[in-house]
Amino acid sequence: MQVVLDNLDVVLKAFGYTIALFLVSGTIALVLGTVLVAMRVGPIGVLRRFAATYVTLVRNTPLLIVLMFFSIAAPKLGIRFTWLDVHIGQWDFTSFFGAAVAGLSLYTSTFVCEALRSGVNAVPLGQAEAARAIGLPFGGVMSQVVLPQAVRASVPPLASALIALLKNTSVAAVFGVAEAVSRMRALTNNFPGDRWEIFVAFALGYVILVEIVSAIAIFLERRWRVA
Amino acid sequence: MSAGSVLFDAPGPRTRARHRVYSFVGAALIVAGVAYAVWRLWDTGQLTYERWEPFVTPRYLEAILVDGLLQTLQMAALAIVAALVFGLVFGVGKLSEHRPVRWVSWLVVEFFRAVPVLMLMILSFFAIFSGVDEIQRRAYWSVVLALMLYNGAVLAEVFRAGILGVPRGQAEAAYAIGMRKTQVMTEVLLPQGVKIMVPAIISQMVVALKDTSLGYYILAPGLTALVKPLYQGFNNHVAVILVIGGMYVAVNLVLTAIATWVQRRYVGEKDMLKVSAVGEQGGGMDGGPAPTN
């Protein structure tokens, strides 16, 4: 453990990048996923098919390939993230970070879309019919009856998607973001004798982060659960 | 077309007219987007024959299929077979009557579900298999081991949920006619549970197959290992990634189709068995096809 404690600043900074990747791509993925699910369950056939095709294609592509596209292929097409050059204190958010966020958000948005869709599907048809029968207008049906139930039912699958994103941020290590896994690899190379300790420390870091997200999800689910 | 949706009523004539406008605008935007993407590809010279040549040259094609696809499929298949064993042991372990067994199984399953696969691969490569001299073989088995641990942990949950999904009367009846614990599990619960597990297991294969690509980080063989040599030789970065990505998608679509077919054929229209990513989240995990990764 001594190695980890000696390099605690490095370890914490690495997890800081992990958390930054998670928060930024998570937010973008939630927004994109919501737009996608609106197209996916909406009444416009063209948009529905487009969203379905997009989700199927992206979801079946390995995340590594998606990130590879943004860091290797996209520059050849003139899509570069060099405009991103933010330095906050000792934190650097450069093109590597931008490419990773783009890939992670697009990939995760498809899972967010599916999570939200399963929530909408979980609302029984009779709920909307009953709401209309008592004379609620469309806005009322949505805001008072359908969406509250759909959001509740989406919490567990949404949490799964976000936890997967948290673990998937590790793939950014392959493309030059100094987050936890890339730091772990560097540390194990520098201190080969203490590999297991380093691994256990980083694994615990991930376990803690995952448990935090999981706890928030369970809290929300309990809170929103109908009696 | 939208008769079954909770979100909106069956449209009237005016709404249909409005939807036609939206459809037209939507279609125009999509076509414009695709056209722009193609123009972008063409403008930057990505569509020239030389850049796509390796994918129609038999020698390269053979290399891609044999050194790439076959290796990838092999790694995924080995990992899944191993993960099935791992999952069965710890899934049944989580249902054990002995507290220590249950506790250890729970710990193992939760741990490997919470840790990124890439991390497990690095650990396997630099620590567990550090004795293996041949780098290629070492990376290959590191990928298999890491995928076995992660997917095994997920499958443990699938097995547990599948066994718990068998009606309780089945086990009670089996005990009543004098079967022993092991017999109840192997003769009564597992054979019936397997039926609802199979689609979830096939879905997990998609996850395993996608994750073989992570072997790129430890220079493992497989489809992703070919990306760099190909684009270095032909300067066709975009084409390589599109083709290799397309191959993954194709195999995954076949697997998903098989899972759906098995589900329809043997389980009926019920939702596919799903397990949460991590933690014991109470209820509500039903709905929505395919796995989360």
Side-chain angles (χ1 to χ4, degrees):
Chain A
M1 272 297 128
Q2 202 51 47
V3 183
V4 180
L5 292 178
D6 288 345
N7 294 287
L8 200 59
D9 52 333
V10 178
V11 176
L12 289 180
K13 196 176 175 194
F15 273 107
Y17 277 117
T18 296
I19 296 169
L21 277 174
F22 171 68
L23 291 179
V24 177
S25 356
T27 312
I28 301 175
L30 283 176
V31 174
L32 278 179
T34 312
V35 174
L36 275 175
V37 80
M39 289 158 80
R40 186 80 175 78
V41 300
I44 315 291
V46 180
L47 297 181
R48 210 165 47 219
R49 272 192 291 278
F50 169 74
T53 314
Y54 174 82
V55 167
T56 310
L57 275 183
V58 176
R59 219 170 51 145
N60 282 305
T61 313
L63 175 61
L64 190 99
I65 300 274
V66 178
L67 285 180
M68 216 177 221
F69 179 84
F70 280 104
S71 52
I72 296 174
K76 302 282 161 191
L77 299 174
I79 306 169
R80 288 186 190 85
F81 293 90
T82 40
W83 48 267
L84 184 71
D85 195 25
V86 183
H87 304 278
I88 305 169
Q90 46 168 341
W91 299 81
D92 307 317
F93 300 102
T94 55
S95 58
F96 294 110
F97 191 83
V101 164
L104 283 168
S105 324
L106 285 183
Y107 181 78
T108 310
S109 70
T110 61
F111 292 95
V112 169
C113 171
E114 289 302 276
L116 293 174
R117 192 167 72 98
S118 79
V120 170
N121 286 342
V123 181
L125 190 54
Q127 294 287 326
E129 286 170 351
R132 275 178 216 128
I134 60 169
L136 279 178
F138 180 74
V141 175
M142 281 295 142
S143 63
Q144 304 292 316
V145 179
V146 174
L147 290 182
Q149 298 184 61
V151 168
R152 264 176 211 139
S154 314
V155 170
L158 210 50
S160 289
L162 289 179
I163 286 169
L165 167 66
L166 183 57
K167 295 190 287 169
N168 281 337
T169 55
S170 60
V171 184
V174 185
F175 300 101
V177 180
E179 52 68 75
V181 166
S182 99
R183 277 285 163 247
M184 182 187 102
R185 186 177 177 162
L187 276 180
T188 50
N189 281 344
N190 293 342
F191 306 96
D194 302 305
R195 269 170 192 151
W196 286 95
E197 287 90 335
I198 295 168
F199 170 75
V200 169
F202 276 91
L204 275 181
Y206 273 103
V207 170
I208 291 169
L209 289 179
V210 165
E211 290 304 328
I212 291 174
V213 178
S214 180
I216 293 173
I218 292 172
F219 169 75
L220 289 180
E221 210 201 338
R222 295 242 167 92
R223 199 192 156 108
W224 291 340
R225 177 177 291 162
V226 197
Chain B
M1 83 185 174
S2 52
S5 175
V6 283
L7 294 177
F8 38 82
D9 294 298
R14 233 187 315 168
T15 311
R16 273 206 299 276
R18 205 151 42 85
H19 286 177
R20 265 199 297 278
V21 176
Y22 292 154
S23 297
F24 183 75
V25 174
L29 282 176
I30 292 166
V31 169
V34 172
Y36 178 74
V38 172
W39 174 76
R40 201 72 220 146
L41 283 171
W42 192 79
D43 192 47
T44 50
Q46 300 300 332
L47 295 182
T48 53
Y49 176 71
E50 301 84 68
R51 290 208 154 109
W52 294 80
E53 197 181 358
F55 308 115
V56 288
T57 313
R59 198 158 51 91
Y60 285 102
L61 212 54
E62 194 191 320
I64 292 171
L65 289 178
V66 175
D67 296 337
L69 190 60
L70 198 63
Q71 292 266 346
T72 294
L73 290 177
Q74 260 178 17
M75 287 192 286
L78 278 172
I80 277 291
V81 170
L84 282 172
V85 178
F86 184 96
L88 187 63
V89 170
F90 288 99
V92 173
K94 276 186 88 170
L95 294 169
S96 166
E97 280 174 8
H98 307 287
R99 192 187 298 250
V101 177
R102 229 168 34 223
W103 197 79
V104 168
S105 309
W106 174 84
L107 195 69
V108 168
V109 170
E110 289 300 296
F111 179 78
F112 286 116
R113 281 203 305 173
V115 173
V117 183
L118 195 60
M119 205 166 171
L120 295 174
M121 278 186 195
I122 294 170
L123 178 81
S124 312
F125 188 76
F126 288 107
I128 297 172
F129 289 129
S130 55
V132 181
D133 288 330
E134 202 192 325
I135 293 294
Q136 276 249 317
R137 216 153 54 92
R138 184 166 143 195
Y140 181 97
W141 288 105
S142 300
V143 170
V144 172
L145 180 70
L147 289 180
M148 178 201 96
L149 292 173
Y150 172 66
N151 292 295
V154 176
L155 286 180
E157 283 299 289
V158 170
F159 279 118
R160 197 179 75 102
I163 291 168
L164 288 178
V166 178
R168 222 175 44 171
Q170 295 287 330
E172 285 168 359
Y175 283 121
I177 59 168
M179 282 187 168
R180 310 180 61 116
K181 226 163 40 181
T182 318
Q183 275 183 307
V184 173
M185 185 57 77
T186 55
E187 314 253 321
V188 177
L189 294 180
L190 277 177
Q192 297 186 68
V194 159
K195 215 177 69 167
I196 57 172
M197 295 171 202
V198 167
I201 292 171
I202 300 176
S203 300
Q204 200 57 35
M205 289 181 192
V206 173
V207 175
L209 187 76
K210 286 198 316 188
D211 284 349
T212 53
S213 64
L214 296 175
Y216 184 72
Y217 199 36
I218 51 171
L219 308 178
L223 280 173
T224 40
L226 301 175
V227 170
K228 200 168 185 182
L230 275 171
Y231 75 62
Q232 279 173 342
F234 295 90
N235 190 28
N236 56 353
H237 304 61
V238 180
V240 170
I241 289 171
L242 290 184
V243 169
I244 300 287
M247 292 173 95
Y248 273 105
V249 173
V251 178
N252 284 336
L253 286 180
V254 170
L255 282 175
T256 310
I258 295 173
T260 315
W261 179 80
V262 172
Q263 176 82 12
R264 290 255 161 78
R265 179 82 176 67
Y266 294 102
V267 192
E269 289 298 320
K270 252 195 306 177
D271 282 324
M272 220 181 258
L273 183 66
K274 278 201 75 178
V275 293
S276 56
V278 135
E280 311 284 327
Q281 287 162 8
M285 286 306 295
D286 47 3
T292 354
N293 171 33

